Each structure stands twice: as C-alpha cells, then as structure tokens.
Amino acid sequence: MDTSTPTRWITPAGLIPVAIAGGLFIWFAQMIPVIGGGDTLRYVWEWVPSLGVNVSIYIDGLSLTFALLITGIGALVMLYSARYLAGHVHQARFSLYLTSFMLAMIGLVISDNLLALFVFWELTTITSYLLIGFSHDTAKARRSALQALMMTGVGGLALLAGIILIGTTAGTFEMSEINAMDGVLKDSVMYLPIVLLVLAGAFTKSAQMPFHFWLPNAMAAPTPVSAYLHSATMVKAGVYLMARTHPSLAGTDFWLWTLTIFGAVTMVFASIMALRQTDLKLALAYTTLMALGALTLLLGNESGYTITAAATFLVVHSLYKAALFLVVGILDAQTGTRDANSLFGLARALPITATAAAIAAFSMAGFPPFLGFIGKELKYAGAIAVASEPIFVAGAVLISSALMVAIAGIVSFRPFWSKSGTPIPNVKEAPWPMLVGPVVLAILGAFFGIFPETLATTLVNPTVAAIIGNAEPAKELKLWAGVNLPLFLSIATFVLGFTIYYYKQKLRGILIGMTTRGPSFDNGWDKLMAGIASGSKALTRTIQTGVLYHYMIVTFGTALAVLAVTLWFRSTGIPAMGVPQVELWDWLVFLLVLLGAVLTLITNSRITAIAGLGVVGIGMAMIFILYSAPDVAITQLLVETLVVVLFAAAALKLPHLTPEPLSRRWLDALIAIGLGVVTTVILLKVTTGPIDRELTTFFETSSWPEAFGQNIVNVILVDFRALDTFGEIAVVLIAAISIFALLKAKPEEEK
C-alpha cells in the first residue's frame, strides 16, 4: 500500500477508534496505584440470576497488565491504521472490526465470570475471522480466515465444556472465588478432564504445537492486524487463560509436564521455522509462536523465577513485536516488498524507521540495556529453577533465544544497514502517524530496561501476585544481576546467535530442503478438510436417499432401539396393576380408534387412509374430553379436520396406493408393534410410580400471583413459555407465507 501520496486520513473512521482505545488506556492507567498497592477491584451485575451467571469485572495485576497492553498498543495500532488504510474503500468497516476486536479482548481479560469470559472468547474468534479475511477478494485470505475460525472455534467448544465442569465442581463460575478455594479443582475426580479441556482451548488459541499452523497463515490480514493480533491480543488470550487458571490447576505433574513439553517443542520448532522465512512478516509470525511457547513453558511451573519471567516476557514481547510488525508494514508500504533478500541499506532513506527497528530488535535479541535483556536473564533463571528438568528447559530456551538473535538481525540489520545489495530507489520516510507506534514502543522497551523497577512495581509484581499469590514473591527486576549462570547462558546465546546469522543462507537452504520434503501441517489441514467434505458427501448419499419410506423406517427404528435399550437397562420389571375400571365409553372410544387404524392398514385409497387416520385422531380427542381437557380436544379436532380436508384435496390427483411387498409389511409391523409395546410399558411405569408434583405446584401457586391468569395452561403458553410460543407462531407464519408464495407461483408453461 502506497503511503507516499497525500491522502486525507483525518476521518471519523480513522480517529474514533484511536479515541476509544486512548480513553480506555487512560481509564485503566488510573488503576495502577490501587493495583500496584496490592488491592483488587471487583464489580458485579446480575445477568441470569437463576443460573448464577453474572457480568462481573475483576481487575488485578494480571488483568490490568493485559488491559493496558490491549488498549495502549491498540491506540498506537489504530493511529497507524488510520494512515495505512487512508482512502481504502472499506476503511470504516476495518475500523469497526478492529475496535470490536479490542473491546472483546478487554471483556475477556477483565471478566471474572467464566461464562461471560467464554462469550468474549468467542467474540474474539469471530472478530479475528473478519479481520484476517478483510481482503476477502483473495482466496488466501478467505482460506486463512476460515482456518483460524475453525481451529480456535473447536478449541472454544472444548473450553466451554471445561468451564461447565469447573462450575459444577466448584459450585460457582466466578474465577476469583474458585482460585480462593484451595484445591477444589485439583482434589476433584474431574481434574484431569478439566485440565485437558481448558488446555485444548488455550493451546488452539495460542497456537501451540500441533495447532500452530493457523497463526502464520493469519498473515493474510493487513499489517496493523498482524501487529495487534500477535503482540497483545488474540494469541495471548490462551496465555491469559493459563495464567488465570494457574492458581487452581497448576501444581501437579500433569500440568507441569504438559505445559513444559508443548511449550518447549513449540518454542524450538517456531524459532527454526522463523529462520527459514524470507518474508519478514512471516518470520515475525513464527517468532510469535516462539514467544507463546516460552510463556506456556514458564507457566507450567510455580517458582517465583518462572512466573516473574513469564510476567516480564509478556510485556517485553508485546513491546518489541508490535514495533517490529509496524516497521515491516512501513517497509512494505514504502518499498512495495517485505522480502529480506530484496531489502538493503534503507537506513538513509528511512532513518526514523531504522532507529525504531534497531531498538526493538536489540530488545528482541536480549541485548543490554534493553528490557529484552532482563526478560532473557529471567527466562534462564526460571528455566534453571524448574527442578524436574532444568537442562531440558534451559536448552530449549538457549536454542530459541539464539535463533531470536539471528532473526532480529535479519529483520532490522539487513534491510537498513546491510550493503550487500542495491537499495531500492526513491524511498521516503513514512508519514508520522505510522511512525508514532514503532518509535513509542521501542522507546518504552529501552526505558523499562534502564529503569526496570518502574515496570516491576506497577505491572510485573502485581501480575506475579495474581498468578501465584503470596506463596513466593516476585523476583527483582534488575539490569545487572552479577556474574552467574544466566549471564554465561546469555553470552552463549549471543555467540550462537551471531554464528547462525553468519551462516543464515546455508542454514535456510537446508531448512527449506528439509521442510519441503517432510510432512506439512498446513497440507494436512487441507487433506483433513477434503476428507471431511468427501465423508459428508458419502454419508449424505447413504442416508439422504430421497425416499420418504426410508426416512420413516430409520426414524422410528432408531426411536424403538433407543427406548428399548434404555428400558432394558433401567427396567425394574413391569409394575403390578390391579384390574382397571373400564367404562362403556372407554370401550367405544377404543373400538373407534381400532377400526380407524385397521381401515388405514387395509385400504388402497389414499383418501380412505387419511380418513381412517382422522378417525383415530377423533378418538384421541374424545379421550381428552373424557378426561376433562376440552381445550386440548378442540385443538385436536380442528387439526384432524384441517389435515383430512387439505390432504383429500391434494390426494385427488395422486394415484391409488399399490400393495406393499410382504417383507416390507413385516418390517413395518415389527417396528409399529415394538414401539407400541415399549410406549405402553413406559406409560405404565410412569403412571404407577410416584409423580413429582414440583412443577405442578409451582404453576398452581404462581399463575395468578405472578401472571394474573386463572387458566394454568394458557398462563404457561403465554407467560412462562412466551418465547417458545412466539417461536411456534413464527414457524407457522413462515410456513403460511411459504405456502402462499407457492400457490401464487405460475407453472412453467404459463411463464
């Protein structure tokens, strides 16, 4: 996108999102003294009191850190977008999507009620789908958006199941209350299913192996979306979920090893794949996977070092990643490419961009005196503190951190300072709205590195307290921690990183060869989707034969099987009954129903058959009359009469019924008799057992005081089940409109 030509960008679509994000950032920033002092804030509004569902806001160090990152980076990204997309025909739509995405993320991180959290969780899924597929005229964007939607959507369903289990186990959906219940989930027999379901939601959202492939494909979205999505929002939602549930679910071997293994594998794999890329935006996407793996690994432990490292690295990554994505967007906009092999020596043409990129890259690589150095040192200290496997964890951190040094050089040094190629001519510095974001974020990374106590007291320490409580205090953030093992590991990181950068072309060639020949998760996704589509077609051909008789046999046969099996396993025998008192009217009604049924079975005339069924319906109406339900009887009579008349009018043009084969009649008789017997046994068991009158008593005592109605049936239909009745009326109305439209349609020969 060319931003060199003057374009009017000060528009409501461009500035309103900036104002919303900025205002929310200021509002959250005012809470820093309260939260930094060790307090929390909680606000509750009843939503569905009967189900115990509240709209509850809970703000502690963890939620406030996320909220500040979401709104602060959001304001800078939206200012960037206002100029980046200036003049785009769908700029207003983009602003709406991005603002909705931000609000959904804010709702997610400040919700205390897990059901409300899930609602916002799904809203982030939907809005990210719209953002990734913003350039919907391209097949790549559509495919990437659908892939992200389905991948995170399936994880969301797993999370919902986990939330329901948590609520039923703990007796509440308020996460602050659950975390205060010591061991309520870990001591439960449902602990393992809960952890599996919650982690399924977190891993798909935060793109852990093997659910990682959707995130690099999300680069089909415009660059501002990538900067926002990868730095502080959607992909961090899974990390937030693991951190929020950490007090209740962590502390077991299963939690430790699951997060450690998945995080370490994701971290190393993503770092290697980042080195393979020549597209700078795609390389940064894989480094995001690396960061998410590191955060997952760190959250698997409970030590003060690992949690402090996670809280610090959360901020470190958000700052440098958003800055570098915005820098890549500037390169793409000003040069027309983001290919690392085509960008050289642009520092003179883009001095401000080059400076911001260098500072952010130094933080990414972990050089002092930047915040990234402190974060890296804490990661090493946290890895060593993992008592079970410190060598495995520290080794994974070392490999990934060294690769980050090399990637930082590829993203920031080569495009701006390398003289190994010819610079692209006529390149101009980006407009100031696009420079504010990377410059501010880069400066913050340097400022917090030089004055780490500022970040520690305001955000990191409260975040650590929110995750592990006061069991172990947060470790001190300082630029110089003395000569220790983490320092030697940092030196090894730089040496190994420079070596990888020097041999990057050879290593990239090797990686391209290996990954080209090996299996691809992305291709596997396509094969899975193709398999689901072909399987659906085969299933449809099997069960959707177009023959009504087949559908009826399957429907009633399935009903018979389910009822019979349930009755067999839960049966205590047919209840003993005395000889019932049968009146003459009962016998007459029985005889009428029997004659109607026999007539329907033996006739070859459709009209006679429907008349026989009408007789059966009239017999049922008479039963309602005998047992004092005249309103139901009238409804039954009207329906039966209407059905007979309408069918008779249509049946005049239909041929006579042909006799069915004997084998089919036997099958029909077997299903019919079986259903009749099973239904009779069920009714006998129901009518002879004790009747639960709880609902009856409720409606009897509530109809007049609450609904001001004396006819209980009418009150149930109109008041207590008003929405259900409204839906039924809507269905009837839609059916009537459809019938009217069909009747008004002209035959083909008249057109």
Side-chain angles (χ1 to χ4, degrees):
M1 182 171 296
D2 183 15
T3 62
S4 59
T5 56
T7 306
R8 183 174 179 268
W9 65 274
I10 304 178
T11 62
L15 295 185
I16 290 177
V18 180
I20 294 174
L24 287 172
F25 177 80
I26 295 172
W27 184 67
F28 283 115
Q30 293 175 347
M31 303 178 187
I32 291 177
V34 177
I35 305 302
D39 294 329
T40 60
L41 300 173
R42 189 167 186 265
Y43 309 93
V44 181
W45 296 271
E46 290 187 343
W47 185 13
V48 188
S50 59
L51 299 178
V53 180
N54 301 320
V55 177
S56 50
I57 294 176
Y58 183 73
I59 300 177
D60 58 1
L62 178 64
S63 55
L64 181 61
T65 298
F66 269 91
L68 289 172
L69 291 174
I70 292 166
T71 54
I73 295 178
L76 297 174
V77 169
M78 289 172 184
L79 178 62
Y80 181 99
S81 303
R83 185 62 183 87
Y84 187 84
L85 288 169
H88 194 287
V89 64
H90 296 309
Q91 183 187 12
R93 180 188 301 175
F94 176 85
S95 298
L96 175 63
Y97 292 165
L98 194 60
T99 306
S100 301
F101 181 59
M102 177 191 70
L103 295 176
M105 274 300 305
I106 293 173
L108 191 155
V109 300
I110 66 175
S111 291
D112 193 28
N113 188 281
L114 286 174
L115 292 176
L117 180 147
F118 173 76
V119 171
F120 289 113
W121 183 280
E122 291 302 287
L123 286 175
T124 63
T125 298
I126 295 171
T127 50
S128 64
Y129 166 77
L130 297 173
L131 287 168
I132 296 170
F134 179 71
S135 302
H136 54 270
D137 53 337
T138 64
K140 180 181 179 181
R142 295 194 299 271
R143 176 184 179 275
S144 299
L146 182 62
Q147 187 180 71
L149 176 69
M150 295 188 67
M151 202 71 211
T152 56
V154 170
L157 293 176
L159 174 61
L160 177 60
I163 287 173
I164 293 173
L165 289 181
I166 290 174
T168 54
T169 302
T172 178
F173 289 103
E174 302 296 314
M175 201 62 221
S176 60
E177 297 177 6
I178 296 171
N179 286 338
M181 301 176 186
D182 187 25
V184 66
L185 299 183
K186 284 184 281 192
D187 296 338
S188 169
V189 294
M190 299 305 296
Y191 172 75
L192 186 59
I194 288 172
V195 172
L196 288 172
L197 292 169
V198 169
L199 291 184
F203 284 1
T204 52
K205 200 77 160 181
S206 288
Q208 297 299 290
M209 287 274 290
F211 314 112
H212 65 283
F213 50 87
W214 71 265
L215 193 147
N217 290 336
M219 293 301 97
T223 297
V225 175
S226 302
Y228 198 34
L229 185 146
H230 282 247
S231 62
T233 51
M234 180 180 170
V235 296
K236 295 278 179 66
V239 173
Y240 172 81
L241 180 65
M242 289 184 283
R244 179 55 73 200
T245 57
H246 190 278
S248 297
L249 300 179
T252 64
D253 289 340
F254 183 78
W255 175 275
L256 169 65
W257 283 107
T258 302
L259 270 66
T260 299
I261 292 174
F262 275 87
V265 172
T266 302
M267 186 167 55
V268 175
F269 169 81
S271 302
I272 294 173
M273 289 301 295
L275 185 64
R276 179 192 184 278
Q277 312 305 319
T278 57
D279 184 332
L280 297 180
K281 191 176 177 183
L282 197 56
L284 288 176
Y286 277 104
T287 62
T288 297
L289 280 178
M290 171 268 166
L292 296 172
L295 289 168
T296 300
L297 181 149
L298 294 170
L299 287 172
N301 206 269
E302 288 186 296
S303 72
Y305 270 117
T306 54
I307 302 304
T308 305
T312 306
F313 188 62
L314 173 70
V315 179
V316 171
H317 174 260
S318 298
L319 296 179
Y320 77 68
K321 186 53 60 68
L324 290 176
F325 261 116
L326 297 179
V327 165
V328 171
I330 291 173
L331 288 173
D332 192 15
Q334 303 306 106
T335 66
T337 182
R338 53 177 190 255
D339 187 351
N341 294 327
S342 303
L343 296 170
F344 308 96
L346 293 172
R348 180 170 296 181
L350 304 173
I352 301 176
T353 303
T355 303
I359 297 174
F362 277 130
S363 186
M364 175 180 173
F367 282 97
F370 302 97
L371 183 60
F373 174 77
I374 300 175
K376 178 168 58 61
E377 293 280 292
L378 284 171
K379 280 196 297 181
Y380 281 130
I384 297 170
V386 178
S388 53
E389 285 294 335
I391 297 177
F392 169 74
V393 176
V397 174
L398 174 63
I399 294 172
S400 59
S401 298
L403 286 164
M404 286 304 98
V405 174
I407 302 301
I410 293 172
V411 173
S412 66
F413 176 78
R414 185 181 177 90
F416 296 102
W417 309 100
S418 175
K419 300 185 182 301
S420 57
T422 304
I424 297 175
N426 302 321
V427 176
K428 297 180 181 180
E429 187 62 273
W432 72 264
M434 295 176 63
L435 292 173
V436 172
V439 169
V440 170
L441 293 169
I443 291 174
L444 285 175
F447 175 80
F448 288 135
I450 299 171
F451 304 102
E453 66 279 358
T454 305
L455 182 65
T457 56
T458 55
L459 296 180
V460 172
N461 293 348
T463 300
V464 174
I467 298 175
I468 59 175
N470 297 320
E472 188 169 350
K475 301 306 176 183
E476 184 181 358
L477 268 64
K478 47 188 175 182
L479 194 57
W480 175 251
V483 179
N484 51 24
L485 184 55
L487 178 62
F488 288 112
L489 289 173
S490 292
I491 295 173
T493 299
F494 297 142
V495 173
L496 184 57
F498 287 135
T499 304
I500 293 172
Y501 179 80
Y502 184 78
Y503 292 104
K504 60 183 178 299
Q505 296 294 357
K506 292 182 180 180
L507 292 173
R508 182 179 291 152
I510 295 173
L511 291 173
I512 291 175
M514 292 174 58
T515 54
T516 302
R517 291 190 300 269
S520 168
F521 286 96
D522 199 35
N523 292 337
W525 170 267
D526 290 334
K527 292 179 181 178
L528 175 63
M529 291 295 101
I532 292 175
S534 60
S536 300
K537 292 178 181 178
L539 183 63
T540 301
R541 287 193 299 268
T542 302
I543 65 176
Q544 297 291 332
T545 61
V547 180
L548 179 61
Y549 176 76
H550 294 166
Y551 301 155
M552 295 180 65
I553 287 294
V554 171
T555 301
F556 289 109
T558 302
L560 173 60
V562 171
L563 291 174
V565 170
T566 304
L567 192 63
W568 175 267
F569 284 101
R570 297 178 64 89
S571 176
T572 56
I574 300 176
M577 297 181 60
V579 178
Q581 296 293 325
V582 182
E583 302 292 339
L584 177 62
W585 283 107
D586 297 327
W587 285 109
L588 291 177
V589 172
F590 169 75
L591 182 62
L592 180 66
V593 172
L594 180 64
L595 291 176
V598 171
L599 178 64
T600 303
L601 291 173
I602 64 176
T603 184
N604 290 331
S605 169
R606 297 180 188 274
I607 294 180
T608 305
I610 195 65
L613 289 177
V615 170
V616 174
I618 292 172
M620 299 300 298
M622 294 180 67
I623 292 176
F624 292 141
I625 293 174
L626 290 174
Y627 287 91
S628 303
D631 49 350
V632 182
I634 293 173
T635 304
Q636 178 75 16
L637 285 172
L638 291 175
V639 170
E640 290 296 336
T641 304
L642 183 62
V643 168
V644 170
V645 172
L646 291 177
F647 188 86
L652 292 174
K653 297 184 179 181
L654 297 176
H656 284 278
L657 294 170
T658 56
E660 295 181 350
L662 185 60
S663 59
R664 177 178 289 187
R665 285 185 171 247
W666 277 109
L667 178 62
D668 296 346
L670 178 64
I671 293 177
I673 294 172
L675 270 175
V677 171
V678 169
T679 304
T680 301
V681 173
I682 292 174
L683 287 175
L684 288 174
K685 292 176 70 64
V686 170
T687 54
T688 56
I691 298 177
D692 186 356
R693 291 185 53 85
E694 182 179 356
L695 286 178
T696 304
T697 304
F698 169 77
F699 288 126
E700 288 176 349
T701 57
S702 303
S703 293
W704 174 252
E706 295 187 17
F708 305 103
Q710 296 180 349
N711 188 313
I712 297 177
V713 175
N714 290 349
V715 169
I716 292 173
L717 293 176
V718 177
D719 291 280
F720 293 113
R721 294 181 56 190
L723 291 177
D724 189 23
T725 304
F726 178 78
E728 294 171 356
I729 295 173
V731 170
V732 173
L733 180 61
I734 293 171
I737 294 173
S738 302
I739 294 171
F740 178 77
L742 289 173
L743 293 175
K744 294 290 290 184
K746 295 182 179 180
E748 288 292 331
E749 59 270 15
E750 297 182 11
K751 294 183 180 179

